[in-house]
Amino acid sequence: MENHSRPLEQVKRIREYFEYIEREQRGISEDKILHKALPDHLKSEVLMHITHAMVSKCPHFSNRELGFQRQLMTSLEQRFFSSRSMIITPSLPSDGMYFIKKGTVDLLSETKMGESIPFRRLGVDDYFSEDSLTDHWDCNPYLAVSVTDSELWYLNRFVFYRLVENFLDEGAQLSKLEPIKKANTHSRHDTTVTHGNSGGNSVFFIHPDNYFIQCWFGLILTITIYTMMTIPFRYAFMENHEITTIWLLLDYFGDFILFLDLLIRSFFLAYYDDSHLVTEKERIWRHYYESGKMKWHIASLIPIEVSALYQPILCPMWKLQVWSLFRMNKLFRLLEIPALVTSVESSLAKLGVRVPKNAIRVGKVIAVIVFSAHFIACLFFAIASYNQYHTTEGSHTNWAYMNGLFSKPLLCPDQHPDTRDLTRRYIASLYWSIATLTTVGYGDITAHQDSVIEILFASFVLIIGTATYTLVIALLDDIVSQLDVTSSLYKTKADKVHAYCEMEALPDTLKSKIHAYYDNLWQRQLGVSGNKILSFFPDYYRKEMIIDIIRPYLRNTLFLKDCSANFIAHIVNCISYELYLPGDTLFHEGERCNSLILLYKGKVHLLNSKGVKFKTVDNGVLGETSFFCFEPHLCSAKAVDTCQTFCLSASDFVSCLRENKMTEQFKEYLFKNTTQILILKESVLKMIRNLKSSKMKKMAVEEKSKIPKGVILPDTLSRCSWDAMLLLQTAFLAFIIPYQISFMSHDTALSLFLIDVNIDLFFLLDIYAKLNKFAVIKDGSLLSSPKDFRAIYLKSSFKGDLICAAPVSFVAFCSGVQDTRYGLLRITQLIRIRHFGKYLNSCAITLNSRTSLSISTEKLRIIQIFIIMLFLCHWFACIFHLIGKMSKEQGWIIADESNNSSSGERYLRSFYWSLYTGKLNHVTAITPAIETV
């Protein structure tokens, strides 16, 4: 929508609709399920179940014939509105009645000053705009806006007419419905009382969709995470620390907020019960109690830490550790973290903060691993502290002493460890915890073989780690399977079309045109064709959007410019969206005019019977007089560039006239405006007649586009072979440059230098070819003129490619720079990696179309992920080796006794470490040195 320059407010409302469907309906469109996934008899039963309460409580329909009620219930259309969305707007007259299934709606009246003042609030099972069923509103007598996210069911006027025709007796009684009057309230709910208060008295409550409660849950989540991180840390690591004022203030501020949260949830936080908002304190308290959360919340508020006043020291734990131990009951709040996270996600979505779904899922798993690792690290070190305190002299049976984290026996009381020792202990514990959870450990930090407690605990963590690894693999599998589903579906469809073109041996020009169409379809509409992309929108948003787009054209269109807003709204339901590429013919001279074309974007040449252009139309109406007179086209029309159009077929137009009983009115209009129509037709014919024959030859439009000599089209074999060469050389750069930076410590070999020079020359040739030889497809158009594709290349990737092609290897070699600095000078050439995916995709298309191999989208994704993993392992291996080389005496190279090995051997050991560390499921004998952690 943003590509079509839609107003930001309109884009926001439609985006909120899809976010509401994803958030509240689990991504399920109830309307599509009912109309596409269920047979008619089941659909009717489901609709009657959903809408029965609303219809039966409406006095206009409650006492009607049972068959009439059933037909009416199954004719309702579901609509969603986010909070503060306009339901009845000033610009578009309402043409139907609304029933409220969920949410709250305000009715507004407009003052003479243009202000909107609410005069009634409606709730669940209320209704409004019922008088528009029998009266054609030219302007709305009042407006309607949703106060909260609302689910409404809509009865269209034309559907209502058909019902009345089938039930004539009911139609006589329903010929005039009682309209809403501002003075009296026929709603079952008082305007000053929020829906749900049976007593009729105003009460204070907090709405569950209120911004305050959304921010409040964010604060509760923050305090819960603070508690989760600090209590285990203080208990495990902060021996011999006193309880300071800062700790007291932080802890009891959190307790105070949690106590307020208990009160809010017990008496003031309203909730929805079967779409009804419940605000009574007694029911709120009962709901909170029965939810099971109350007991955990109360248990977390019990001040057990008061016991520390009587027993402040439990050696080896000092005061702060004992205090933290007695506050462990605060961790009961962890049970609510998933619900709080979901609430915060929903709040951020309502505020317009959008995070990709897969990113959220990965972030949650990482957060679970990090928090779990923190808990385990604290417990693992607490066990070591216990063993250190109870050890005998000369016998230290704990892992921390083995790794130099304890330099003396643990005493109580004693001096507390300084910040440096505290940091080293926590990092070492966290390192062991993460390594054990995500792998089976490296073996550099292990449980002491003589400590049964440490061995049992480590075994338990290994079991948890196995479950974690399984969870991560399952999550990644699910993410990969859903990764860019739209792109995968489009590519599969495009691959089939490419294969068909090769099978039929179509000429290169025609193939390029077909490929250009699909490329344009992807660029503009993500590969989805016209009418299908409009079907993604709910009907009411689709209607509003199209009216907003075509309104400027309708103001100058015959007949339609004088029609009512209701008729225009009906016409919009029949309009389709079409996309035409440069050179496509919209219609031919002499053909019957079957559609009215509204040219939304692009330019069209109008041609006579000999293909001579006599006019260019830019954003206008095509075939106007021929359409309304049901006559053949006076000329032909051909797209100059990519054209986006809205089309109204003649059959749909006639149906709209009949349904709105405007056939006679249309005939009268044609009779009264015969002169104007004839003038318009004559103006077109005059332009055609006035063209001179010499000018006709000069302006003749060639049907077949000419490809300049020497220009190479995108789908030729030579172009595909060129892309394959670029793929190999880019992969070589991605490998050799990090290797040269990390491992090269002597002069560059002459053979390697020659390879580098050849790659630089090839990249220079590639720049020349892109400037002068390689045609491109841009926005669906094949650009074969060097002037055109050169301009595009200069504006896009020319600068980056020029930097990559700089002959730095030649300059460095001739200057005598032939060690690690040689690789550092070439690091800018890694910019070429950004084209790697494009080169790989080009090779896959070539293999699919020119060989018997079939590389599906799924296979290509796996290949891409595999290559990315290999490159990442290679780069991490180079970084790991570089860190070891820079660390000198304290690095892993010295510890591994690899300092005298060749660069190839050290690379293999570094790659071995990177590969097995990246796979997260193996033990490697190469580990970082503890001193450098």
Side-chain angles (χ1 to χ4, degrees), residues 18 48 79 193 214 262 310 330 358 419 699 718 869:
F18 286 108
M48 286 189 290
R79 296 189 173 186
V193 180
Q214 296 170 9
L262 179 69
Y310 302 98
K330 311 301 177 185
N358 286 333
T419 304
M699 297 174 60
S718 57
M869 291 301 299

Side-chain angles (χ1 to χ4, degrees), residues 226-257:
Y226 161 80
T227 303
M228 178 176 60
M229 298 299 291
T230 56
I231 290 179
F233 180 83
R234 294 186 314 201
Y235 167 73
F237 293 96
M238 302 192 72
E239 67 263 15
N240 294 305
H241 277 73
E242 299 290 338
I243 305 174
T244 62
T245 305
I246 295 178
W247 286 123
L248 288 174
L249 289 175
L250 289 174
D251 287 353
Y252 281 115
F253 172 76
D255 290 354
F256 175 70
I257 296 297

